[in-house]
């Protein structure tokens, strides 16, 4: 995702919750490895998971989210994507 697509996080969380700080940076490499490294400096990582098709329950977790859940140094929140 281009860096310009991430700028809304500051506006989304900062207005009503000034104590919440978010950060972003553009990097190349293994997403799982880079996010696990970021977890050493973070209080929380938020990632997404896709919902199964209509009529099914649960979420489908991808390989990056699975890596975070297994190796992150901080809590990981997995939110359902539409």
């Amino acid at each position: 995702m281009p860096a310009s697509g991430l700028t809304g996080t500051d506006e989304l969380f900062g207005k009503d919750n000034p104590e919440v700080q978010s950060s972003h940076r553009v990097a190349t490499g293994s997403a799982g490895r880079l996010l696990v490294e970021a977890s050493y400096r973070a209080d929380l990582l938020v990632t997404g998971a896709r919902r199964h098709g209509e009529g099914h329950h649960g979420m489908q977790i991808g390989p990056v989210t699975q890596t975070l859940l297994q190796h992150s140094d901080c809590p990981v929140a997995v939110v359902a994507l539409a």
Side-chain angles (χ1 to χ4, degrees):
M1 174 183 297
S4 62
L6 299 173
T7 57
T9 57
D10 295 331
E11 295 170 5
L12 178 65
F13 296 111
K15 286 182 180 180
D16 296 327
N17 302 295
E19 70 280 3
V20 175
Q21 296 177 357
S22 65
S23 64
H24 58 269
R25 79 181 173 136
V26 177
T28 58
S30 164
R33 182 182 54 79
L34 290 167
L35 289 168
V36 168
E37 288 175 7
S39 75
Y40 292 104
R41 302 180 304 277
D43 294 321
L44 173 70
L45 290 178
V46 180
T47 187
R50 299 197 184 280
R51 291 191 182 276
H52 287 288
E54 192 171 323
H56 294 88
H57 299 286
M59 295 184 292
Q60 182 176 0
I61 296 174
V64 173
T65 298
Q66 187 67 39
T67 297
L68 290 176
L69 291 172
Q70 291 176 341
H71 302 289
S72 179
D73 194 55
C74 69
V76 176
V78 181
V79 296
L81 302 175

